[in-house]
Amino acid sequence: MKPYRDLWQELCSTQNLQRAFTKARKHKTLKPCVLEFEADVKNNLSQLRTELLFHFYQPRPLETFILRDPKTRKISKSHFRDRVIHHALCNVIEPMFEKRFIFDSYANRKSKGTLEAIKRFEYFQGKVSHNYTTNVYVLKADIKHYFDEVDHSVLLDIIQKRVKDPKIIWLIKRILGNYSTSDGKGMPLGNLTSQFFANIYLNELDYFVKQELNAKYYLRYVDDFVIFHTSLTVLQEWKEDIAQFLAEKLKLQLHPDKSKIIPLNRGIEFLGFKLFSYHRLLKRKNMRYFLRKLRQTNSLYQEEKMTYDDVYNFMEGWCAHAKNANTFKRRQKILTSFEEQYPREISTKEVNRGLPKNKKPTKEVVTPPNTTKP
């Protein structure tokens, strides 16, 4: 007989809240909200624990702002103390769901991520096409306004199949109730709990596709998913079945413009890349966005509104992303131009790597690690 677990006591424990705080502050140690909380961390964690134990915890209003580049998105950010609670909740219940997730769900999970999803995509395309000797079709699908359309009551029903503790459910309701796009719908982009709940919600779709449709070559990243098959007719039928399942069970819709069946040999756009049989390219709109952002960054630097470290970090981040595609010549061209524009500048990262301060940075220094031709 399994020993009884008091999930609520685990969640509210001092150890769990301390661990949640450590996770919430990761990579954000110099942010004012983190420094303010950390200045009196013992009392702040004690206050959160008291609010949870006596059931008067109430999330603070979300800070909302609009990002318009590369596409318009509304981001809602929780107060730091609420982010600690989100981590505390996930610490306790995430393991209960993680073992139920299918292998080929790649978003917001340990040892997964974008690059692993791309690798799995390439494995599938080789497998289904018998090393590219057979015609293959891909159902490339996207769910319309996914985060805005998640139904709270449906989500809670799914969660309660695994989590029986009413106090945990009370906390989840508090978190969900702090944001809605319409009555009882929606989760904010940017919250840890939203990312976790998004996987729980669409795990229902994963099981339908794998068990009911018996689709062998299926993978999902948040609300983007692909299915490979040699039969166009089968994929057309599956697309209709999936649309019906989403509407009836999850109250969602496939995106009419972004859900298509495409021959594999045309190249498939997935997670920022266009994937072909033997190579990857960056999506054209992503490349246009980068070049536009680079011009803006250069202008801000010239106006002294941005430091060279900021410019360097931007370039290093792009190179780290771009090296995952066949972009060797393009990267070298951009980096050469970059060095010509900043001939005497040097970042603190370069100094930390041991470059003499009076030495002009070389291409190897500016370029992130492993930028050799793929």
Side-chain angles (χ1 to χ4, degrees), residues 124-184:
F124 279 169
Q125 69 180 5
K127 188 83 171 174
V128 182
S129 66
H130 302 287
N131 289 328
Y132 313 106
T133 60
T134 304
N135 289 331
V136 173
Y137 298 91
V138 179
L139 170 57
K140 166 71 173 67
D142 181 286
I143 294 173
K144 185 178 180 181
H145 302 151
Y146 176 51
F147 278 87
D148 287 344
E149 293 298 322
V150 168
D151 188 279
H152 294 180
S153 61
V154 174
L155 175 61
L156 286 166
D157 285 344
I158 296 169
I159 291 173
Q160 287 179 100
K161 291 176 184 176
R162 307 289 299 171
V163 178
K164 305 300 183 181
D165 192 319
K167 295 174 183 177
I168 299 283
I169 300 302
W170 168 82
L171 178 59
I172 293 172
K173 287 180 178 178
R174 280 287 165 104
I175 292 170
L176 289 174
N178 199 38
Y179 177 91
S180 64
T181 52
S182 58
D183 188 27

Side-chain angles (χ1 to χ4, degrees), residues 329-360:
K329 290 182 179 179
R330 176 162 284 189
R331 277 182 284 138
Q332 295 307 307
K333 183 179 179 180
I334 289 172
L335 287 168
T336 299
S337 174
F338 179 81
E339 290 180 4
E340 289 171 355
Q341 188 164 358
Y342 301 93
R344 297 182 182 85
E345 299 293 351
I346 187 166
S347 80
T348 55
K349 283 191 178 182
E350 294 170 62
V351 173
N352 291 338
R353 286 170 183 162
L355 185 73
K357 294 185 179 181
N358 60 350
K359 183 178 178 181
K360 178 182 174 180

Side-chain angles (χ1 to χ4, degrees), residues 81-304:
R81 74 195 303 271
D82 296 322
R83 280 179 261 162
V84 173
I85 296 295
H86 298 168
H87 279 279
L89 173 65
C90 290
N91 285 346
V92 172
I93 69 170
E94 186 173 12
M96 301 170 66
F97 289 92
E98 176 63 30
K99 59 188 177 184
R100 293 279 301 165
F101 293 156
I102 67 167
F103 180 85
D104 287 312
S105 167
Y106 284 87
N108 309 306
R109 297 175 65 195
K110 291 179 181 177
S111 304
K112 300 291 184 178
T114 304
L115 190 56
E116 290 302 314
I118 296 294
K119 290 177 181 176
R120 188 65 164 172
F121 181 104
E122 291 173 339
Y123 169 76
F124 279 169
Q125 69 180 5
K127 188 83 171 174
V128 182
S129 66
H130 302 287
N131 289 328
Y132 313 106
T133 60
T134 304
N135 289 331
V136 173
Y137 298 91
V138 179
L139 170 57
K140 166 71 173 67
D142 181 286
I143 294 173
K144 185 178 180 181
H145 302 151
Y146 176 51
F147 278 87
D148 287 344
E149 293 298 322
V150 168
D151 188 279
H152 294 180
S153 61
V154 174
L155 175 61
L156 286 166
D157 285 344
I158 296 169
I159 291 173
Q160 287 179 100
K161 291 176 184 176
R162 307 289 299 171
V163 178
K164 305 300 183 181
D165 192 319
K167 295 174 183 177
I168 299 283
I169 300 302
W170 168 82
L171 178 59
I172 293 172
K173 287 180 178 178
R174 280 287 165 104
I175 292 170
L176 289 174
N178 199 38
Y179 177 91
S180 64
T181 52
S182 58
D183 188 27
K185 285 192 172 187
M187 299 189 300
L189 281 171
N191 272 7
L192 171 70
T193 47
S194 297
Q195 297 165 5
F196 175 51
F197 293 156
N199 272 343
I200 291 176
Y201 205 78
L202 284 185
N203 191 51
E204 303 296 302
L205 171 66
D206 298 341
Y207 272 77
F208 173 75
V209 172
K210 298 293 287 183
Q211 294 186 348
E212 300 298 323
L213 301 183
N214 293 316
K216 189 174 181 181
Y217 301 103
Y218 161 85
L219 69 90
R220 178 177 63 80
Y221 190 96
V222 193
D223 62 323
D224 288 338
F225 62 90
V226 292
I227 308 178
F228 297 77
H229 206 281
T230 53
S231 170
L232 176 62
T233 303
V234 168
L235 284 182
Q236 288 170 337
E237 292 174 355
W238 283 357
K239 183 181 177 184
E240 292 176 7
D241 292 340
I242 288 169
Q244 183 177 353
F245 173 83
L246 288 172
E248 292 179 357
K249 301 296 183 180
L250 300 179
K251 301 182 181 179
L252 298 172
Q253 290 180 301
L254 287 178
H255 197 295
D257 301 323
K258 297 180 181 178
S259 301
K260 301 174 182 178
I261 299 172
I262 307 165
L264 182 63
N265 58 16
R266 288 189 190 174
I268 309 297
E269 292 189 352
F270 188 54
L271 303 181
F273 298 91
K274 189 159 187 178
L275 305 171
F276 294 88
S277 300
Y278 294 103
H279 65 287
R280 309 173 192 166
L281 298 177
L282 294 176
K283 287 171 66 174
R284 287 184 181 178
K285 71 174 185 179
N286 287 13
M287 196 65 215
R288 288 195 298 268
Y289 166 69
F290 163 71
L291 293 173
R292 184 167 68 251
K293 194 76 174 176
L294 180 59
R295 288 193 295 270
Q296 293 172 356
T297 300
N298 291 336
S299 296
L300 289 171
Y301 176 77
Q302 296 300 327
E303 296 168 10
E304 298 185 351

Side-chain angles (χ1 to χ4, degrees), residues 18-29 34 80 82-85 87:
Q18 180 62 53
R19 187 156 64 102
F21 164 70
T22 302
K23 287 185 175 182
R25 75 190 283 270
K26 191 174 182 180
H27 305 308
K28 303 177 181 70
T29 54
V34 178
F80 182 74
D82 296 322
R83 280 179 261 162
V84 173
I85 296 295
H87 279 279

